[in-house]
Amino acid sequence: MADLERKAKEAFIDDHFELAVDLYTQAIALNPTNPDLFADRAQANIKLNNLTEAVADASRAIELDPSMAKAYLRKGIACMKLEEYQTAKAALEAGASLATEEPRFANLIKECDECIAEETGETKKQAVEAPLNTLSLKEEPEDISSKASMVTPSKSKYRHEFYQKPEEVVVTIFAKGIPASSVTVDFGEQILSVSIDVPGEDAYHFQTRLFGKITPDKCKFYVLSTKVEIRLTKAESGLHWASLEYNQETAVVKRITVSSEIAQRPTYPSSKPKGVDWDKFEAEVKKEEKEEKLDGDAALNKFFREIYQDADEDTRRAMKKSFVESNGTVLSTNWKEVGTKKVEGSPPDGMEMRKWEF
């Protein structure tokens, strides 16, 4: 084991970081309770931008030796690269209390404070500028941390899945009969790290950069008889996670902000055709007919229809009687005149018979 550790350190000094990680992994397999091995592998993973792995290694080193200052330093650096400034600051402050003469802690804590202030200010600015009932886009900034992907266990001993609610994401790892003392879960601002280490069995490790940020202090996990249930409280309630793991292709998330009045009246998709406002439809047709410009017989016929439509009962009776009895040559609106006698008439020479419509 000592020979492997020496070779790993030499590989790191020669900038052969992948080889260093491999050698440290072999050494850890032989001595899984050595905190220095985890802390040194964390440093090599930082160089490779394997940031979630680096956080997991540093956290494991801290768990094995809570007084190891360099483990806190490396966890803080990895979290800063992941833009998890609150988690980074907490780790750095813990490390600073153990190594008071190390200036890097103070410098990095100051940098964290500046980033937190900037991030908080930007969040408030977006909240003020975002208009009600508009679609806003939240895009994850692109940086080297986008290379950090999910770390799958060396052996897929346990299956996992997730579902979500507006305020939380629930991750389930299906592991039967696991003692609670064998389960370790660490929460970062956007990192989930799970370790299941049962004596006599291969250890299970699951670390991932999450799709969105969470509130670590409000996250919980439960070890049940058939599974480990992990409840992640979303930092942004109502934000839909397209996946559990961060993915640059799905980093743009649509989020709709609506007023409480609108939110109380949800709408649902329906296969039924939309209803027609027939009164409105009839009014539009009448308007079109009224504004329609016609010529010749069509215009005259339209004129007579309008007279008939607006006339009283006696006027309508007079128009019908005179028109029918005169074979369409006379059209009277005076019922007193035509009501007591037959209306006779014939078209003058050269005048065509016209058919009027009412």
Side-chain angles (χ1 to χ4, degrees), residues 147-220:
K147 297 180 181 178
S149 59
M150 180 181 69
V151 181
T152 56
S154 55
K155 293 184 179 180
S156 299
K157 296 177 61 175
Y158 308 121
R159 177 174 60 90
H160 75 273
E161 62 183 32
F162 85 101
Y163 66 91
Q164 63 183 302
K165 301 177 182 179
E167 70 284 351
E168 70 174 357
V169 174
V170 181
V171 181
T172 302
I173 298 176
F174 296 94
K176 294 183 179 180
I178 301 298
S181 59
S182 300
V183 180
T184 302
V185 181
D186 291 321
F187 304 104
E189 289 178 71
Q190 202 171 347
I191 289 179
L192 172 64
S193 177
V194 183
S195 296
I196 301 177
D197 191 3
V198 179
E201 299 182 9
D202 292 334
Y204 169 90
H205 299 289
F206 175 77
Q207 302 97 31
T208 185
R209 184 184 182 192
L210 299 169
F211 181 86
K213 291 192 174 184
I214 59 176
T215 306
D217 294 342
K218 296 182 179 180
C219 297
K220 300 178 181 179

Side-chain angles (χ1 to χ4, degrees), residues 59 62 88 176 210 255 273 356:
S59 297
I62 292 169
K176 294 183 179 180
L210 299 169
R255 184 169 188 249
W356 311 115

